[in-house]
Amino acid sequence: MHLPRLAPRRPESHKGDFGHALLIGGSQGMAGSISLSAMACLRSGAGLVTVATPAACQTTVAGFEPSLMTAALPCDEEGRIASAGLAKIRELAGRATVVACGPGLGRSLEVTGIVAALYSELRQPMVVDADGLNALSTLTNALPNHAGPRVLTPHPGEFARLMRASNMPPEERPSAAVDLASRAGIIVLLKGHPTLVTDGPREWRNPTGNPGMATGGTGDILTGVIAALLCQGMSPLEAAQLGAYVHGLAGDLAAEKLGQVSMIASDLLRFLPDAFMKLAATPD
């Protein structure tokens, strides 16, 4: 599998040409996760980005970046999205090109119900990460039951929970990911060294990235990058491939300047522009 590329932008382009991403996540005390995803989505070329987040943290999320649009959702006593927010999310999704769900959601029965409904109902491409994956892992036979393209981005712990395996040896994960992608009709991006991207019949291993990226929030950045690439018309498999590559390349560029020990997730935001420019300057 070759590395896909974004098409050059036409001079007459406008923001509507590059999609509208709806990102769903955040909770009281975890507003940063979905904010990192949203800012990465903007930096990766999405035309518009809306964050649907609990009212308890909406002001915090909105304060991260003036370019973001936000929607406050009803929340429970712990500051997580409540079931009453599902109707608003459905309304927002009706105007979205792509949906991403999971970073910072927290865990509750209401959150699980919301994730399950969106996963099974929405026809748009959907990226599921973090607590979105944790919600799906508690449901029986949920992964094949989707109405549209799905990209799941688990780290090894989340993947083990999805597979209902208490202990999965590292050497068994790739074949299990390929089998899951094939059975469920989804894209699986299994984070690791190296990250594996598969739709079942096809497999691709990402060559970029470094141990400095082993810090909280870097996965949230990846969610936003993939959502933005989907917004720009890439197929789910292509968006997962290129998203993993650019995400890792931004980490490599950050490590060159900052070292691996001192890297934090927001550093990847700073180096995403350099990663996209370097990619554009590299021959196919």
Side-chain angles (χ1 to χ4, degrees):
M1 293 172 61
H2 71 283
L3 184 68
R5 304 295 185 97
L6 281 169
R9 296 194 168 196
R10 294 175 290 109
E12 66 273 20
S13 298
H14 58 84
K15 62 188 176 186
D17 293 330
F18 305 115
H20 185 171
L22 173 64
L23 275 57
I24 305 158
S27 56
Q28 187 68 43
M30 292 195 291
S33 300
I34 197 65
S35 301
L36 287 169
S37 298
M39 290 188 288
C41 196
L42 285 168
R43 282 293 187 194
S44 300
L48 293 167
V49 178
T50 295
V51 180
T53 195
C57 59
Q58 182 265 340
T59 302
T60 303
V61 172
F64 274 92
E65 169 53 52
S67 306
L68 295 174
M69 296 180 288
T70 58
L73 302 174
C75 51
D76 63 16
E77 293 180 354
E78 301 297 323
R80 299 167 299 215
I81 300 174
S83 296
L86 181 57
K88 179 64 174 179
I89 295 172
R90 285 178 172 137
E91 176 189 335
L92 294 166
R95 302 192 292 270
T97 312
V98 171
V99 175
C101 178
L105 274 177
R107 301 193 201 185
S108 72
L109 290 176
E110 292 183 89
V111 166
T112 296
I114 290 169
V115 173
L118 298 175
Y119 185 88
S120 64
E121 294 174 10
L122 296 184
R123 297 187 180 279
Q124 300 97 322
M126 184 175 178
V127 185
V128 187
D129 186 29
D131 284 327
L133 296 172
N134 291 327
L136 292 176
S137 72
T138 67
L139 303 170
T140 302
N141 201 36
L143 297 184
N145 297 318
H146 49 81
R150 300 292 181 256
V151 179
L152 274 57
T153 61
H155 60 54
E158 292 162 343
F159 184 68
R161 287 190 284 276
L162 285 171
M163 299 299 293
R164 306 290 179 91
S166 58
N167 182 26
M168 180 175 291
E171 63 272 16
E172 295 181 8
R173 292 175 193 148
S175 61
V178 169
D179 180 64
L180 175 61
S182 183
R183 286 188 292 107
I186 60 178
I187 307 301
V188 176
L189 184 155
L190 177 59
K191 298 167 184 171
H193 179 68
T195 288
L196 168 68
V197 177
T198 180
D199 64 351
R202 292 168 289 184
E203 303 174 40
W204 181 82
R205 285 165 175 78
N206 181 48
T208 62
N210 64 82
M213 298 170 69
T215 185
T218 56
D220 304 318
I221 301 282
L222 178 60
T223 297
V225 175
I226 295 172
L229 297 176
L230 287 166
C231 275
Q232 294 167 87
M234 300 195 87
S235 73
L237 182 62
E238 290 173 334
Q241 279 183 268
L242 187 59
Y245 185 89
V246 170
H247 178 256
L249 181 57
D252 291 341
L253 294 171
E256 289 176 9
K257 295 289 186 181
L258 306 171
Q260 294 183 5
V261 173
S262 295
M263 282 175 57
I264 59 175
S266 58
D267 292 327
L268 270 65
L269 291 173
R270 292 169 47 202
F271 285 93
L272 273 174
D274 292 337
F276 278 106
M277 288 192 293
K278 185 171 182 176
L279 180 66
T282 304
D284 289 341

